[in-house]
Amino acid sequence: MCQEGWLRFGQTLFEKSRDGRGSCSLPELDVEAVEPESVIPSNLLRQKPAEMPELSEPEIVRHFVGLSVTNHHVDRDLYPLGSCTMKYNPKVCEDVANLAGFVAIHPFSPPETIQGALRLMYELGQALCEITGMDDFTLAPAAGAHGEFTGMLMVRAYHEAKGNPRSKVLIPDSAHGTNPASVTIAGYRAVEIPSDSTGRIDVERLKAHLDQEVAALMVTNPNTLGFFETNIAEVADLIHGVGGLVYMDGANMNALLGISRPGDFGIDIAHLNLHKTFGTPHGGGGPGSGPLVVKKALSPFLPVPVIVKEGEKYRLEEDRPQSIGRIHGFYGNFGVMVKAYCYILLAGPEGLREIAECATINANYLLAKLRRYFEVPYDGFCKHEFVLSGKDKAAKGVKTLDIAKRLMDFGFHPPTIYFPLIVEEALMIEPTESENLETLDRFVEAMVCINEEIERDPEKVKSAPHTTPVGRVDEANAARGLDVAG
Ligand SMILES: *Cc1c(COP(=O)(O)O)cnc(C)c1O
């Protein structure tokens, strides 16, 4: 009986939707209201009204504030998550992204009615081109890795248009983990290039792989050891010499803003992480935005739609015969773009440069302070982040994971650990530009204290954290045997 009721309801909806009114309009419902008792089995029906807690507003506010401070976040204290750039995300950018004129527009809105949004996106793209020294852009990719994949499809389209498809992409071993994955799913063979003893691309060993099969080099710069690839111009010349393109993973662009431009050191195509460098946190799990900036030669292959400015009007161009096609349902994550636009305008050219300078100074300050206590496998002047190793703590039975857990007792989020893969027991630390000297010194004190504990009382470190509501969880088991009911 009850099943029949639902079937009838569904059938009516279906017929209404086919009523010749086009797929976009919602059907008008003239079905009779159905009593829940007639369609829901009685054992599933509530027998008495729900008991709602009677609470005052302050009690509720305290409950949620309590929950928010039980979890660690960047508004609470330092979040030095190397590579993930958890930093100052101005609240005013959130406010701007929340303006009704931005949140109330619909992706199907006719372009004439959303000229302001299109202008914002166009001007953001122009600003990113100026910052990176490139010619053209797409804001569509929804994440850094999505930008990489889109970029590789463009590289493929570029070579195919020349009638010269190629098979491999060279990737330094200090690259971000997403790089080989994106290259592989785009159908290329990822070939690993080793780093030299200074943590830069080993140019001699790169040369051994140069031939007509090289579609591109994909280089993370600054790389995941936190170093600027000082040979990048020479490397780019070598790749161009065999007809390949140079793709830069620019997720670490916060270290270069206003100081050097990828377009000036030989890069043909790059992605940026708006949700790292430009006003949105990365660790929050999304939404994200990984725009691509490209040199003119790659413009024809950009995904559609492309934002075009004609006179004072903006439109979305779909008719691009050489385009790789559409890579996102609509046009990317607009809210993140609004925040990035706001962030760039807030900082201005001088401010952007200051961001990169402070990020670099802060990282070098921490490195200089911590070098005496922790092994630095690739030492030298770093950019926005650096990598320590906990390898020598093994003598006391302590692992990098233990150091990370113990840091939580000091009120800090742990750094990224066990990455990059070329460093054993890696601790990857990125203080970001937004932390002041007092905060950095507190972090150093915590690290020095943990180092002493490893000598004196290693058990204390191995059994950390001691102050968090949840101690060590079996992470692998938690991921595999997810218990959503509990
Ligand atoms: C974060 C990051 C990526 C990937 O970005 P997602 O938005 O997480 O996909 C790629 N490269 C580097 C260097 C990164 O730090």
Side-chain angles (χ1 to χ4, degrees):
M1 250 280 276
C2 71
Q3 213 182 1
E4 268 172 36
W6 280 114
L7 278 177
R8 219 174 333 109
F9 182 72
Q11 187 68 25
T12 318
L13 267 184
F14 179 66
E15 280 164 9
K16 288 284 170 194
S17 71
R18 288 198 317 175
D19 222 12
R21 266 177 285 176
S23 58
C24 285
S25 60
L26 285 173
E28 274 167 30
L29 294 179
D30 56 2
V31 287
E32 272 171 46
V34 195
E35 287 300 318
E37 290 78 8
S38 72
V39 289
I40 298 175
S42 58
N43 64 334
L44 297 179
L45 279 174
R46 187 180 281 289
Q47 301 303 321
K48 52 184 172 61
E51 282 175 35
M52 300 301 282
E54 297 263 327
L55 293 169
S56 66
E57 182 178 323
E59 281 172 296
I60 291 177
V61 170
R62 284 173 194 163
H63 171 71
F64 283 107
V65 169
L67 286 181
S68 78
V69 295
T70 305
N71 211 347
H72 191 93
H73 46 83
V74 76
D75 286 340
R76 195 176 147 187
D77 213 325
L78 178 69
Y79 203 133
L81 199 58
S83 196
C84 288
T85 315
M86 291 296 292
K87 63 169 182 178
Y88 173 50
N89 300 126
K91 300 287 180 270
V92 65
C93 298
E94 301 279 345
D95 293 344
V96 172
N98 268 329
L99 289 174
F102 289 135
V103 290
I105 55 178
H106 192 276
F108 282 143
S109 306
E112 316 77 86
T113 66
I114 50 164
Q115 285 294 304
L118 292 178
R119 177 180 160 193
L120 182 146
M121 290 156 81
Y122 183 83
E123 289 183 1
L124 171 62
Q126 295 296 308
L128 298 177
C129 286
E130 173 63 26
I131 287 167
T132 53
M134 307 293 266
D135 303 318
D136 212 344
F137 70 92
T138 172
L139 304 175
H146 195 194
E148 293 164 19
F149 175 63
T150 306
M152 283 301 114
L153 294 185
M154 290 178 63
V155 166
R156 173 178 288 284
Y158 168 89
H159 289 299
E160 281 175 4
K162 292 187 148 206
N164 182 16
R166 295 172 170 225
S167 63
K168 64 182 182 185
V169 173
L170 311 181
I171 307 181
D173 61 3
S174 62
H176 194 75
T178 50
N179 295 183
S182 303
V183 160
T184 306
I185 58 171
Y188 283 119
R189 189 157 50 88
V191 178
E192 186 173 287
I193 306 296
S195 300
D196 63 17
S197 59
T198 72
R200 270 82 174 183
I201 297 173
D202 188 325
V203 179
E204 288 313 310
R205 294 172 77 176
L206 171 80
K207 284 180 183 164
H209 294 278
L210 292 178
D211 55 35
Q212 296 299 314
E213 288 304 316
V214 176
L217 168 85
M218 186 184 255
V219 56
T220 302
N221 192 27
N223 64 33
T224 60
L225 292 167
F227 294 132
F228 187 80
E229 291 287 351
T230 34
N231 295 324
I232 190 69
E234 180 193 351
V235 165
D237 282 348
L238 288 170
I239 300 293
H240 292 150
V242 292
L245 294 167
V246 185
Y247 181 103
M248 184 177 114
D249 173 339
N252 295 335
M253 192 67 201
N254 54 327
L256 305 184
L257 296 173
I259 294 174
S260 69
R261 305 197 310 165
D264 299 337
F265 53 71
I267 304 300
D268 302 296
I269 173 167
H271 81 261
L272 304 169
N273 278 48
L274 299 189
H275 55 292
K276 274 184 190 171
T277 306
F278 298 104
T280 295
H282 176 268
S289 180
L292 283 175
V293 284
V294 303
K295 286 278 174 65
K296 235 188 230 89
L298 285 153
S299 278
F301 311 104
L302 284 168
V304 288
V306 171
I307 302 172
V308 178
K309 184 179 183 193
E310 274 165 356
E312 288 309 304
K313 290 259 182 277
Y314 301 86
R315 64 184 176 83
L316 292 169
E317 191 169 85
E318 298 273 355
D319 185 18
R320 313 262 299 190
Q322 287 188 288
S323 164
I324 59 162
R326 186 175 279 275
I327 52 114
H328 194 282
F330 295 105
Y331 197 101
N333 288 321
F334 180 63
V336 184
M337 297 172 203
V338 178
K339 287 191 277 179
Y341 183 74
C342 184
Y343 186 85
I344 291 169
L345 291 186
L346 265 182
E350 298 301 319
L352 288 176
R353 187 185 168 99
E354 212 177 310
I355 285 166
E357 286 171 350
C358 290
T360 304
I361 291 168
N362 279 358
N364 279 285
Y365 179 78
L366 285 188
L367 175 59
K369 288 275 184 178
L370 295 175
R371 188 181 272 131
R372 284 202 293 153
Y373 307 96
F374 294 86
E375 204 181 309
V376 188
Y378 293 89
D379 208 347
F381 187 72
C382 68
K383 297 299 293 178
H384 62 303
E385 67 192 2
F386 59 95
V387 182
L388 304 176
S389 169
K391 200 173 81 185
D392 62 332
K393 311 297 179 198
K396 294 282 180 182
V398 171
K399 298 178 71 70
T400 278
L401 178 73
D402 305 318
I403 299 172
K405 295 286 185 196
R406 183 69 177 132
L407 267 171
M408 293 158 75
D409 290 331
F410 290 84
F412 297 114
H413 194 283
T416 297
I417 54 174
Y418 298 106
F419 189 81
L421 301 177
I422 52 174
V423 172
E424 260 181 80
E425 295 290 317
L427 276 155
M428 185 195 214
I429 299 173
E430 176 174 7
T432 80
E433 81 283 357
S434 39
E435 300 300 338
N436 63 18
L437 191 57
E438 288 73 24
T439 308
L440 298 183
D441 282 338
R442 275 196 297 117
F443 181 73
V444 171
E445 262 172 49
M447 289 292 279
V448 172
C449 184
I450 293 170
N451 192 52
E452 273 170 26
E453 285 173 351
I454 293 171
E455 290 300 316
R456 239 184 329 105
D457 185 8
E459 271 315 308
K460 190 166 191 177
V461 181
K462 282 159 70 176
S463 54
H466 304 287
T467 58
T468 54
V470 179
R472 293 204 186 192
V473 291
D474 179 348
E475 285 163 22
N477 196 27
R480 289 191 192 131
L482 198 62
D483 177 9
V484 283

